[in-house]
Amino acid sequence: MARVDYQVLLQDAMETARREPARGKPADYIPALAAADPEAFGMAIATVDGEVFGAGAWQQAFSVQSVSKLFTLALALAEGGEGLWRGVGREPSGNPFNSLVQLESEHGIPRNPFINAGALVVTDRLLELTGDAVGAVREFLRRESGNDAVVTDDAVAASEARHGHRNAAMAHFMASYGNLRNPVDSVLAHYYAHCAISASCRDLALAGLFLARHGLRTDGSRLLSRSEAKRINAVLLTCGTYDAAGEFAYRVGLPGKSGVGGGVLAVLPGRGAVCVWSPGLDAAGNSVLGVAALDALTTATGWSVF
Ligand code: DON
């Protein structure tokens, strides 16, 4: 079979995306992210055969934000099993990632693990299981990417903590329903810290490969069963890009997770993982150039789970 020239595919996808007139706006509700350059743009593919390709700023570290929620979910399931689902659902919310509206009528059980309320529950369980939720995520990213420079940016975590009134409100609200097992302040600190991890497209594509390998880590050991990996991919597809998950599935056709740092990590089961980064966001909090580049890449190649 002819060898795929991933490098050219990435460059073409980025070029197509750059033709979009819109650039979006970097997240400014976390002041430390507001100054990001909306023209910054990088993309990387890691294949299950062990190859990595990149274009643009693919080795530049950025704030992973909600992309970290994919890893907290995987680690919490690996450590604690299905009991996790008693405290968090698996349905799309149809609301923004930081919305509070469903929490009261649904008795403090968030719709899914990727909206902020759900991610706080997952962080709480991972903290209970490991004693160090942010350490567990950072260690996993380092090991899978082979990059020990993956660290938490303390200035970003502190910036979010100072302005994180909504997350604090949600955490206290869920605690009032008994859906947090650790003190609210500890859960918030670990949540902000794993969101504030800095990593590159290269690092995240490599770290996301366990989902393409049906649950196997880089060293061949098993993190999740094949069925658990399938299930995480399913929740990524339906909930990973919030109230734009339908549009993302329509345009990209892959399970994916976005973050307000501008990163998007998508998985092609059995083949590889692709990560794209550009800080300009649309109204749903997803990278404008990032989604456009994934759209162009998957349209050109036919890569899809469908
Ligand atoms: O809690 C927050 O609002 C941020 N730390 C993460 C939100 C996020 O990345 C949503 N993704 N698009």
Side-chain angles (χ1 to χ4, degrees), residues 29-30 65-66 69 97 116 160 167 191 195 242 258-260 285:
Y29 75 98
I30 302 173
Q65 293 299 321
S66 288
K69 296 172 181 175
F97 63 84
N116 288 4
E160 181 163 16
N167 286 327
Y191 171 80
C195 287
Y242 312 107
S258 60
V260 294

Side-chain angles (χ1 to χ4, degrees), residues 49-94:
D49 306 323
E51 291 187 295
V52 192
F53 303 83
W58 67 292
Q59 299 190 84
Q60 189 174 322
F62 58 89
S63 192
V64 304
Q65 293 299 321
S66 288
V67 179
S68 61
K69 296 172 181 175
L70 180 171
F71 301 103
T72 51
L73 176 63
L75 292 170
L77 282 173
E79 294 284 335
E82 296 269 310
L84 176 76
W85 299 118
R86 285 196 289 275
V88 59
R90 301 188 290 261
E91 289 296 343
S93 71

Side-chain angles (χ1 to χ4, degrees), residues 218-241:
T218 301
D219 65 5
S221 63
R222 188 162 283 288
L223 177 71
L224 298 169
S225 69
R226 197 180 173 96
S227 157
E228 286 166 333
K230 179 207 75 179
R231 289 173 171 174
I232 291 186
N233 280 328
V235 184
L236 282 170
L237 184 77
T238 53
C239 310
T241 45

